[in-house]
Amino acid sequence: MFTFTRHEPLGVVALITPWNSPCCCLSHKLATALAAGNAVIVKPSEFASASTLEFAELFALAGIPPASSMW
């Protein structure tokens, strides 16, 4: 069995998070996607709280540019 890892970004990655632990799942998925150099679109569950919006606000405070300024 041969296994290898490609170190190249895929481009735009969609992250779908569940209702029961949106921040935990988002942070795990987001860290790996951004570390690989991908752009990220997050789709939280419609039953989740607004914690994903607060998470995005923390990113804005950290200086990460929004998608509209990247293009």
Side-chain angles (χ1 to χ4, degrees):
M1 188 162 139
F2 180 72
T3 305
F4 66 96
T5 303
R6 294 183 346 183
H7 297 285
E8 60 186 45
L10 296 173
V12 179
V13 179
L15 305 179
I16 302 173
T17 57
W19 64 270
N20 53 355
S21 59
C23 281
C24 181
C25 289
L26 178 62
S27 62
H28 287 294
K29 291 179 178 184
L30 191 63
T32 56
L34 291 179
N38 297 308
V40 175
I41 296 175
V42 178
K43 196 285 182 191
S45 171
E46 59 269 10
F47 302 113
S49 62
S51 59
T52 304
L53 295 174
E54 292 296 322
F55 202 81
E57 199 167 308
L58 288 174
F59 267 59
L61 289 173
I64 296 176
S68 60
S69 67
M70 295 177 71
W71 299 105

